[in-house]
Amino acid sequence: MNGCLMHRFLSNRVIVKSGDITNEKVDAIVNAANSSLLGGGGVDGAIHRAGGCSILEECRKIRSTRYPDGLPTGEAVITTAGNLPSKYVIHTVGPVYSASSQPEAELKNCYLNSLALLKKQGLRSIVFPAISTGVYGYPKEEAAAISSLAVRQFLETDDTIEKVVFIFYSLSDMDVFIKNQKFAQL
């Protein structure tokens, strides 16, 4: 894995790199959660394992008070980051590609709602994984176009968020994103 190879866009406000999201020291990292908010596999499991029990405790509280039926697809909530170097974790549920009637809108909402929550909390930096591109089956090329366009549109009307990072566990996934991103195109 190579954490040194980075690409920058939008006047250096957006960074694309390969690495481990649980090592990122930013205001918030985004968890590609499942609707239960109780942990799972992939990024979700890695964040819960590295962050410790306090994340799970806050997620349980959110479930019992705000979302007893689970966090809806595309929505976002924030918790402590526990033992992680980031300050917070923003949890969002991406669409299961084959089961969604509106996968593009739901995936776009994951990014927009996460950024809106970051801004509402007065935070300035965030790291996103490739939401829904693992076991949820979203085609990586399409997800890259949707996510980069959503972030670009948000940042065009916001000057408070200083840094948005897209992080990929593998260089090959990062390369797919770079080839399909929509930061440079107008």
Side-chain angles (χ1 to χ4, degrees), residues 29-98:
I29 62 171
V30 175
N31 180 15
N34 61 52
S35 65
S36 77
L37 295 178
L38 303 179
V43 170
D44 192 14
I47 288 172
H48 276 272
R49 281 189 302 278
C53 297
S54 59
I55 296 173
L56 182 58
E57 289 170 16
E58 284 191 49
C59 285
R60 284 185 174 137
K61 196 176 292 185
I62 290 168
R63 281 293 307 275
S64 69
T65 59
R66 294 174 51 199
Y67 294 104
D69 297 326
L71 185 65
T73 302
E75 294 299 318
V77 294
I78 192 166
T79 66
T80 181
N83 300 326
L84 295 166
S86 61
K87 296 176 186 173
Y88 298 96
V89 176
I90 294 176
H91 307 265
T92 189
V93 180
V96 175
Y97 187 74
S98 63

